[in-house]
Amino acid sequence: MFKKAIVIGSPGAGKSTFSRKLRDVTGLPLYYLDMLWHRPDKTTIPKQEFDRKLKDILIKDKWIIDGNYNRTLEMRVNYCDTIFLLDFPLDICLSGAESRIGKEREDLPWYETEFDTEFKQFILDFPKESLPQIYALIEKYREDKHVIIFKSREESEEYLKKF
């Protein structure tokens, strides 16, 4: 079994839900990058502070880290032993992001009250802008990491049932 895993994929794919379930079945501590980066007032901490907090987590013996944050993705890949990529269809990600509006979440320090147009555009652009970079990084480290790519929620649920 793994000791250090990252969970990445498009916003709305269900990274946080999968991460919580993974935490519950493995007992590993879970860290949300959104909770490190964002303050409750929707401002962000300085990059240097974020990097320091992230490095404090990375040097721990065990963890699950939920979130993309491409700027620090390779750093997290270097420290992890397992990569979970939720590569779901765009419509699933859009409906997933929209469905969480107005719901309390442990992975974000505020309530989302609307489907922000800039955030929606980021999701729309994710398959062309971010996913190729993620796959290139996975390919670069594939020999040294256990890589698990899910193409549907059903696949991720089947994986969790194995525990």
Side-chain angles (χ1 to χ4, degrees):
M1 189 175 96
F2 59 88
K3 291 184 177 183
K4 297 180 177 187
I6 61 171
V7 180
I8 54 178
S10 175
K15 294 183 302 295
S16 298
T17 300
F18 177 79
S19 296
R20 276 191 296 280
K21 291 177 179 180
L22 194 61
R23 172 198 61 200
D24 293 346
V25 298
T26 64
L28 296 174
L30 171 58
Y31 301 94
Y32 298 107
L33 294 182
D34 281 343
M35 292 298 285
L36 288 180
W37 179 243
H38 295 287
R39 295 179 174 135
D41 65 0
K42 297 187 181 181
T43 61
T44 58
I45 64 173
K47 286 181 182 178
Q48 300 83 354
E49 183 180 346
F50 176 82
D51 292 352
R52 183 181 46 75
K53 287 181 175 188
L54 177 58
K55 285 177 186 171
D56 288 345
I57 295 167
L58 292 173
I59 61 173
K60 293 178 184 285
D61 291 336
K62 300 175 185 177
W63 41 257
I64 299 166
I65 298 177
D66 163 84
N68 289 318
Y69 290 76
N70 288 343
R71 185 180 66 78
T72 63
L73 183 55
E74 189 161 9
M75 179 192 326
R76 284 176 279 129
V77 168
N78 276 310
Y79 280 86
C80 78
D81 54 45
T82 304
I83 301 168
F84 291 98
L85 171 60
L86 280 60
D87 183 5
F88 296 170
L90 186 57
D91 62 322
I92 297 295
C93 298
L94 286 168
S95 65
E98 193 167 18
S99 72
R100 63 189 189 199
I101 305 298
K103 295 180 181 171
E104 184 176 1
R105 299 167 47 196
E106 71 178 61
D107 58 306
L108 196 63
W110 68 75
Y111 285 96
E112 292 175 298
T113 57
E114 64 180 342
F115 197 0
D116 179 70
T117 55
E118 188 176 317
F119 184 56
K120 183 176 184 179
Q121 189 60 52
F122 180 79
I123 297 171
L124 289 168
D125 294 340
F126 192 87
K128 290 182 184 168
E129 299 292 323
S130 298
L131 214 51
Q133 295 172 17
I134 289 171
Y135 272 105
L137 194 59
I138 285 173
E139 196 55 40
K140 180 178 176 182
Y141 290 93
R142 184 175 283 285
E143 289 185 25
D144 300 326
K145 308 296 175 185
H146 186 67
V147 178
I148 302 165
I149 300 172
F150 300 119
K151 295 289 190 172
S152 69
R153 293 194 199 283
E154 294 76 22
E155 287 180 6
S156 64
E157 289 297 323
E158 284 301 313
Y159 177 86
L160 291 166
K161 286 179 184 176
K162 294 177 185 175
F163 287 93

